[in-house]
């Protein structure tokens, strides 16, 4: 592994342990040339995924891009960072295990929204606002009103 500080290609592993709910290996590394220490993560990748955008363009799936968008939606929410990592790993595993190498961006967005809806409603609305390209405050209002149970679905209370 190349040292990110000096570029030396002969680095040493000092410590390895499971990370992210045992779906990755966290390795602490040391560079004998410059003395730098850094961490790497090793994950199993079942297949190379290609994302098909709505305009037909194709690009390689980028786990980091998925993680950034989810973390942005989860920003300042009371969710444990380890739980977020587990959620991201679960989404990636689900995409890889679908059996297809080509995945529509819409399908990825729907899976993320479905997962966020179960974990945190605010993060779900934040993600949806970007994913569904909300343009006005009314778009938020309409979306949130669909989340609330209607009057006929609410349990009746005795008065």
């Amino acid at each position: 592994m190349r040292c990110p500080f000096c570029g030396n290609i002969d680095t040493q592993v000092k410590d390895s342990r499971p990370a992210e709910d045992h779906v990755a290996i966290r390795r602490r590394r040391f560079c004998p040339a410059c003395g730098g220490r850094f961490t790497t993560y090793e994950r199993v990748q079942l297949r190379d995924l290609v994302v098909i955008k709505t305009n037909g363009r194709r690009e390689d799936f980028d786990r980091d891009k998925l993680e950034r968008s989810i973390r942005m939606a989860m920003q300042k929410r009371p969710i444990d960072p380890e739980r977020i990592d587990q959620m991201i790993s679960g989404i990636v595993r689900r995409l890889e295990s679908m059996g297809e190498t080509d995945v529509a961006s819409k399908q990825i967005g729907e899976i993320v929204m479905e997962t966020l809806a179960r974990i945190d409603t605010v993060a779900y609305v934040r993600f949806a606002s970007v994913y569904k390209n909300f343009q006005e405050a009314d778009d938020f209002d309409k979306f949130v009103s669909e989340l609330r149970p209607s009057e006929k679905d609410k349990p009746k209370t005795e008065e």
Side-chain angles (χ1 to χ4, degrees), residues 13-159:
V13 174
K14 291 298 180 189
D15 179 46
S16 292
R17 67 179 71 169
E20 298 179 23
D21 197 27
H22 300 280
V23 296
I25 300 291
R26 177 184 184 267
R27 299 193 193 282
R28 285 294 297 154
R29 294 181 177 268
F30 171 76
C31 177
C34 71
R37 293 180 180 272
F38 58 100
T39 302
T40 60
Y41 291 88
E42 188 176 306
R43 290 184 183 86
V44 172
Q45 184 173 332
L46 297 176
R47 60 179 42 93
D48 290 331
L49 297 174
V50 175
V51 178
I52 301 171
K53 304 294 222 167
T54 52
N55 65 3
R57 201 177 83 241
R58 300 165 62 90
E59 66 181 52
D60 292 338
F61 175 77
D62 184 354
R63 179 193 170 96
D64 293 333
K65 186 175 178 181
L66 174 69
E67 183 174 347
R68 279 191 306 274
S69 65
I70 290 173
R71 288 196 185 279
M72 194 174 296
M74 295 281 219
Q75 198 169 7
K76 296 185 180 179
R77 298 301 303 149
I79 309 295
D80 184 36
E82 190 172 298
R83 177 70 177 108
I84 296 171
D85 291 337
Q86 290 171 357
M87 182 184 85
I88 294 165
S89 293
I91 291 169
V92 172
R93 274 196 308 273
R94 186 170 164 187
L95 292 169
E96 289 177 338
S97 65
M98 288 171 33
E100 299 292 325
T101 54
D102 293 354
V103 182
S105 60
K106 180 177 172 133
Q107 196 171 16
I108 295 170
E110 294 299 327
I111 290 171
V112 171
M113 291 210 3
E114 173 188 313
T115 306
L116 284 173
R118 289 194 311 263
I119 293 174
D120 187 87
T121 311
V122 172
Y124 171 64
V125 172
R126 285 178 179 169
F127 186 87
S129 72
V130 175
Y131 175 68
K132 293 184 178 281
N133 196 20
F134 290 0
Q135 298 294 315
E136 301 173 4
D138 288 343
D139 296 337
F140 282 94
D141 191 39
K142 181 178 170 190
F143 185 78
V144 171
S145 68
E146 292 172 6
L147 292 177
R148 294 186 184 116
S150 65
E151 292 300 317
K152 64 181 177 190
D153 294 338
K154 288 183 182 176
K156 299 215 183 334
T157 56
E158 294 181 26
E159 295 178 24

